[in-house]
Amino acid sequence: MAKVSGCAFLCDESGVIQQVLRDDFGFSENGCQGKLFTSIIDQHSRSKSLNMILETKNKNLAFDYRLNVFIQDQLKSLYFMGVYLGKQILIIGADNHNEAIEFTNQLQQINNEQSNQIRILLKKQNEKITTQEKENEAIFDELSRVNNELINLQRELNRKNAELERLNDLKNRFLGMAAHDLRNPLSNINAISDFLQKKSDNFDERQNRFVNHIKELSSFMLNLVNELLDISAIESGNVKINSTPTNLVLLIETNINLNKELANKKNIEILFESNVDSLILKIDNNKIDQVLTNLLTNAIKYSNNDTKIFVSLKRQETEVLINVQDQGQGIAEDEVVSLFKPFQKTSTKSTAGEKSTGLGLYIVKRIVEAHQGQIEVESEVGKGSTFYFSLPLNSTS
């Protein structure tokens, strides 16, 4: 077996070199015996050499320390290991890990007791390395297995998502077709009942009750069908915003006037204030009118008789804020979070038996968001609710 070049120093626990056991690199020429081992190490590696000595004392063995040393004024990088021999530290250096192990076996200057102790420590270290390699291999196999399972699950999830998307699209198309086919006959029923209501003087009390019931139910059903058509368009991603320059102040005033008849039935007063006389925005006036109608009719629906509804418009620096505040029953805190979800209803009941589909606020939210705005609500049970939505001013014409 070829002789391996290396060095071996026997140091005390402080790291002072007591004996040079072997020196194939020429450290002894500078008289290293009696000096700290760290003194033969380049200053940039000295902190690592101290760590090696500490690890040797704490763990009996230190491996894998690549330290730079000066040999005959030349900087050389050597691989060092340390072995703790009771009250002494054996430091061995060579060009690489394998040569350090081989060099240790070839040392003739170390007595049998020290050699045996080194062999025992090296055997334990190799056993640790082997065990760690087996553990790492097992971990790698497990990670590979889990990764393969995740890939398969992802493929299955993608397949199911594609199927759900197809079924959802089919549902939306069916819903749209059904609602569209229902709208015409319901419109006719509603129009006929409206005509009959105007002829109520020719009916007795029982007939009037029937006509009013038909009108109420047909109006509710027609509104439901229209909302289902809106939902179908929203879910299909077909919400189209036809923006035109619109006077938002005038739009709100007109909407309030149209809803005053409904409010008058409960002796509810609607008040409006604005910090500007006119505000032209590029919006879909029909859809924003739909938002206002929903918020106002909800405020009327859940307010008691002889109360007030406050509507306000505030032009701010980057947006316009529209508030609809009522003096109604309010909404429980734990129910507020679900208000803008489809088919969600709260425990709050309308004050005159008015019906609700649970779709209106979901549609409102999507319309506002399609205009790059936001909608929020603040409510307190027994004091009323405030719905407010914003529209960006960058759409100002």
Side-chain angles (χ1 to χ4, degrees), residues 150-166:
L150 287 174
I151 291 173
N152 291 333
L153 287 172
Q154 183 65 40
R155 288 173 180 165
E156 181 66 13
L157 183 62
N158 290 338
R159 188 187 67 78
K160 289 187 179 296
N161 282 338
E163 179 65 11
L164 283 173
E165 188 175 345
R166 186 187 69 81

Side-chain angles (χ1 to χ4, degrees), residues 235-277:
E235 293 297 322
S236 300
N238 295 324
V239 180
K240 295 181 180 179
I241 302 299
N242 300 313
S243 297
T244 57
T246 303
N247 187 336
L248 186 58
V249 176
L250 180 59
L251 181 67
I252 295 174
E253 290 175 340
T254 302
N255 189 278
I256 289 174
N257 288 330
L258 290 174
N259 282 288
K260 275 186 177 180
E261 182 179 352
L262 184 64
N264 289 338
K265 293 180 180 179
K266 299 172 77 170
N267 198 30
I268 294 174
E269 185 179 5
I270 304 176
L271 303 173
F272 174 57
E273 66 174 16
S274 172
N275 65 349
V276 291
D277 296 328

Side-chain angles (χ1 to χ4, degrees), residues 348-363:
T348 305
K349 304 298 181 183
S350 60
T351 55
E354 298 98 330
K355 298 181 183 298
S356 173
T357 63
L359 294 172
L361 288 176
Y362 172 68
I363 295 170

